[in-house]
């Protein structure tokens, strides 16, 4: 079975500061990992995904994540936060035919 | 580019009523997934279909049923609605049940049960 744990239900950063959202996974098979963003009253939008190959994955809106097997982690980062990044972020793992989501991290960006 | 379409976007029902949610996948996508997201919670997988056959089942209550039709659209039927069914219901579509493939999510249907 697969699962993900997101550390920190709320993260607050200042505009221009580094964004770091943490995700650890558990999987009995090679994991396929995803980060989705959800803006208020909207659906889930894919930021990036890791399947195989390069462990540093670049996504949309300047986000990237690094797959670290030794740490079972897939943390999401962005060098400089924008006000428009304020949203809920979900880490997810897929190893079979469904997707398991973490509890989500709400990112707040302060002016 | 075409996206996943869900209808209706909002639905208000009373307890013990029934509801039908519809999902139209991205063209040429053959797999549909249904998720339920309660207030302040993460999406929970309900059920999925591949080529019109149920492929996986998650935490879908027995009061709910779903199917995928020949045109690949899917419907989630919910009966004997309870207050706890109030949630955002997402449909996602993909290709060939491949777990590496991205699931593209629709905007969701917000169901309110009074």
């Amino acid at each position: 079975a697969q699962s993900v744990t997101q550390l920190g239900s709320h993260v607050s950063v200042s505009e221009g500061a580094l964004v770091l959202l943490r995700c650890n996974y558990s999987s009995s098979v090679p994991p396929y990992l995803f980060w989705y963003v959800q803006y208020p009253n909207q659906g889930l939008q894919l930021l990036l995904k890791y399947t195989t190959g390069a462990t540093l994955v670049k996504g949309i809106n300047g986000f990237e994540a690094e797959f670290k097997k030794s740490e079972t982690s897939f943390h999401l980062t962005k060098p400089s936060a924008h006000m428009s990044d304020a949203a809920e972020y979900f880490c997810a793992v897929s190893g079979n035919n469904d997707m398991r989501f973490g509890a989500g991290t709400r990112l707040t960006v302060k002016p | 580019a075409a996206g996943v379409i869900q209808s209706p976007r909002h639905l208000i029902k009373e307890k013990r009523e029934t509801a039908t949610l519809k999902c139209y996948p991205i063209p040429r996508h053959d797999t549909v997934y249904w998720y339920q997201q309660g207030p302040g919670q993460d999406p929970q997988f309900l059920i999925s279909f591949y080529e019109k056959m149920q492929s996986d089942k998650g935490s879908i209550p027995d009061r709910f049923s779903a199917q995928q039709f020949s045109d690949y659209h899917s419907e989630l039927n919910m009966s004997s609605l309870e207050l706890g069914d109030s949630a955002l219901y997402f449909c996602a579509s993909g290709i060939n049940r491949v777990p590496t493939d991205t699931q593209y999510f629709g905007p969701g249907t917000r169901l309110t049960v009074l």
Side-chain angles (χ1 to χ4, degrees):
Chain A
Q2 293 81 33
S3 66
V4 291
T5 301
Q6 291 184 241
L7 303 176
S9 59
H10 290 87
V11 170
S12 180
V13 300
S14 297
E15 191 173 19
L18 171 71
V19 175
L20 171 60
L21 305 183
R22 300 177 186 272
C23 173
N24 287 89
Y25 70 89
S26 173
S27 179
S28 56
V29 297
Y32 304 119
L33 297 160
F34 304 78
W35 274 99
Y36 283 87
V37 60
Q38 185 177 33
Y39 297 99
N41 300 312
Q42 294 189 26
L44 295 159
Q45 181 182 6
L46 179 72
L47 281 177
L48 49 80
K49 67 178 181 180
Y50 168 78
T51 54
T52 58
T55 56
L56 182 62
V57 181
K58 295 185 183 298
I60 62 172
N61 300 341
F63 284 94
E64 62 183 36
E66 186 170 11
F67 171 67
K68 291 186 177 181
K69 185 177 180 180
S70 61
E71 299 177 8
T72 61
S73 68
F74 191 58
H75 302 330
L76 181 71
T77 61
K78 181 174 180 177
S80 177
H82 294 171
M83 297 296 293
S84 60
D85 294 327
E88 187 91 18
Y89 291 80
F90 291 97
C91 181
V93 62
S94 174
N96 297 307
N97 295 314
D98 65 336
M99 188 169 289
R100 306 284 175 170
F101 288 86
T105 297
R106 181 168 298 280
L107 176 65
T108 302
V109 182
K110 299 175 291 186
Chain B
V4 176
I5 298 172
Q6 290 188 248
S7 69
R9 294 293 309 278
H10 301 273
L11 189 58
I12 299 175
K13 291 286 185 179
E14 296 195 354
K15 280 171 46 178
R16 293 180 289 277
E17 285 191 321
T18 61
T20 297
L21 309 186
K22 297 184 179 182
C23 170
Y24 298 86
I26 292 172
R28 291 181 294 281
H29 282 195
D30 52 22
T31 307
V32 169
Y33 309 82
W34 284 98
Y35 293 85
Q36 176 192 58
Q37 184 179 27
Q41 298 181 12
D42 56 294
Q44 295 290 319
F45 171 69
L46 293 178
I47 195 168
S48 64
F49 292 86
Y50 167 65
E51 283 291 346
K52 293 152 278 183
M53 299 288 289
Q54 179 183 310
S55 60
D56 283 287
K57 199 171 183 179
S59 53
I60 185 170
D62 292 340
R63 298 177 289 108
F64 295 5
S65 65
Q67 57 183 325
Q68 186 179 31
F69 295 85
S70 58
D71 63 352
Y72 295 101
H73 94 273
S74 178
E75 295 184 3
L76 178 65
N77 299 293
M78 312 160 72
S79 63
S80 303
L81 287 169
E82 302 174 356
L83 296 179
D85 296 329
S86 295
L88 196 54
Y89 290 84
F90 287 110
C91 168
S93 74
I95 299 175
N96 292 339
R97 301 174 69 210
V98 176
T100 57
D101 190 48
T102 301
Q103 292 185 24
Y104 294 87
F105 285 78
T109 294
R110 183 170 296 280
L111 172 66
T112 303
V113 181
L114 303 176

